[in-house]
Amino acid sequence: MTVYDKLKSLNITLSPPAAPVAAYVMYVQTGNLVFISGHIAKNADGSVNAGQLGKEITTEQGTAAARAIAIDLMGTLQEACGGDLGRVKRVVKLMSLVNSTPGFTDQHIVTNGASELLGEVFGDAGKHARSAFGVAQNPRGACVEIEMIVEVA
């Protein structure tokens, strides 16, 4: 099953990346590595999914937000790969920043929303190293922000 077959079976449609809202680019490729800038959690209408885990946002809601971010990251990755996700050799690393209260300690569970989807879509090539941090705030109040490094052919 190709990556696109898997996306179709999961009823996932990838969108082109949004334009950056500050002084950066959405991705940079150096050699065979693509570094994808942090993507923040958004609601279905495109508004920011804002709030803190452990306060307004539950672990389950945060996990769903991380999964949605993984879909956005794959859309950016598809553009970086010239429209061909078949070029992906390996998802190397994710870094997840979870907007959370001082007592919230399930950042790793929230980030599983992204990690598990990447594993489903890319199989063994989707297994990656990862960091998940609790932070006092994310841009625009987003509940989660995730960046990704990918090896491509």
Side-chain angles (χ1 to χ4, degrees), residues 78-148:
Q78 180 173 253
E79 181 175 291
C81 290
D84 182 11
L85 287 176
R87 292 184 51 210
V88 172
K89 289 180 71 175
R90 178 94 192 194
V91 177
V92 177
K93 184 167 185 184
L94 293 185
M95 185 173 73
S96 175
L97 305 167
V98 180
N99 180 355
S100 49
T101 62
F104 185 82
T105 60
D106 284 339
Q107 291 83 0
H108 61 295
I109 302 299
V110 169
T111 306
N112 280 346
S115 293
E116 289 171 358
L117 180 60
L118 292 168
E120 265 189 273
V121 171
F122 294 106
D124 285 342
K127 295 178 182 174
H128 52 271
R130 162 182 118 176
S131 300
F133 300 96
V135 297
Q137 196 53 267
N138 274 324
R140 301 175 66 201
C143 60
V144 182
E145 178 178 6
I146 301 174
E147 66 177 44
M148 182 166 69

Side-chain angles (χ1 to χ4, degrees), residues 4 6 12-14 22 25 28 45 49 69 83 85 87-88 90 105 107 114 117 125-126 133 140 149 152:
Y4 291 103
K6 190 61 179 177
I12 294 173
T13 302
L14 301 180
V25 294
V28 171
D45 66 1
N49 184 347
I69 292 170
L85 287 176
R87 292 184 51 210
V88 172
R90 178 94 192 194
T105 60
Q107 291 83 0
L117 180 60
F133 300 96
R140 301 175 66 201
I149 302 169
V152 297

